[in-house]
């Protein structure tokens, strides 16, 4: 299927990344009522920020512009199938629809090629493996986990809630 104007805009943003140092060719736009309300590109290498994915940047831009964290009714157009972090951000902001271009395998292949020249881009998991890790209870993930301070944290939560009544 040919890209519509919003996907084409996201693709154009991703294409520009090849000329911008410290970016990767992943981009997204958030659209509400046929208007672009947020846009973003992957700036993780430039910002030394692993959360700077195109989707997260576009969502943050939309939230700032609208002064809300509720993007109900919005559609996100992204140049690649999003990772678990990006999907979680979409869910947390109530985005209604996801439209993507390249799939997880296309992105995995691209990143593997890039990692050959730039070891900092090497990833432990592809998108599917990341989804599997995120879905596991903390103690079953590959990452070591320890829990402490629960009583104190819960006390802070309760004090905060009580101060807002």
């Amino acid at each position: 299927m040919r890209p519509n104007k919003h996907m084409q805009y996201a693709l154009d943003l991703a294409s520009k990344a090849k000329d911008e140092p410290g970016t990767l060719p992943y981009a997204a736009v958030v659209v509400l009522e046929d208007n672009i309300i947020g846009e973003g590109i992957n700036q993780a290498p430039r910002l030394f920020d692993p959360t700077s994915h195109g989707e997260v940047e576009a969502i943050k831009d939309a939230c700032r512009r609208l002064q809300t964290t509720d993007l109900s009714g919005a559609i996100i157009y992204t140049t690649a199938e999003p990772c678990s972090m990006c999907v979680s951000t979409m869910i947390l902001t109530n985005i209604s629809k996801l439209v993507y271009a390249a799939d997880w395998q296309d992105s995995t292949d691209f990143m593997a090629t890039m990692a050959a020249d730039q070891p900092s881009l090497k990833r432990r998991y592809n998108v599917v493996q990341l989804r599997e890790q995120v879905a596991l209870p903390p103690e079953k993930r590959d990452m070591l986990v320890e829990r402490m301070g629960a009583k104190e944290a819960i006390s802070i939560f309760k004090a905060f809630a009580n101060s807002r009544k």
Side-chain angles (χ1 to χ4, degrees), residues 65-123:
R65 287 186 196 190
L66 298 182
Q67 297 287 291
T68 186
T69 56
D70 183 1
L71 299 176
S72 294
I75 301 170
I76 189 163
Y77 293 85
T78 181
T79 56
E81 184 176 351
C83 73
S84 298
M85 175 187 66
C86 294
V87 171
S88 295
T89 306
M90 292 172 204
I91 291 168
L92 287 170
T93 56
N94 299 317
I95 286 187
S96 299
K97 183 177 179 180
L98 162 67
V99 180
Y100 67 93
D103 69 14
W104 73 270
Q105 189 62 60
D106 299 322
S107 188
T108 297
D109 294 345
F110 164 70
M111 289 302 287
T113 301
M114 293 299 296
D117 296 327
Q118 298 177 48
S120 66
L121 295 178
K122 185 175 186 320
R123 299 292 175 252

Side-chain angles (χ1 to χ4, degrees), residues 23-43:
T23 63
L24 292 170
Y26 295 98
V29 295
V30 178
V31 175
L32 185 62
E33 298 173 359
D34 206 38
N35 296 305
I36 293 176
I37 59 168
E39 61 183 69
I41 61 171
N42 184 311
Q43 301 179 74

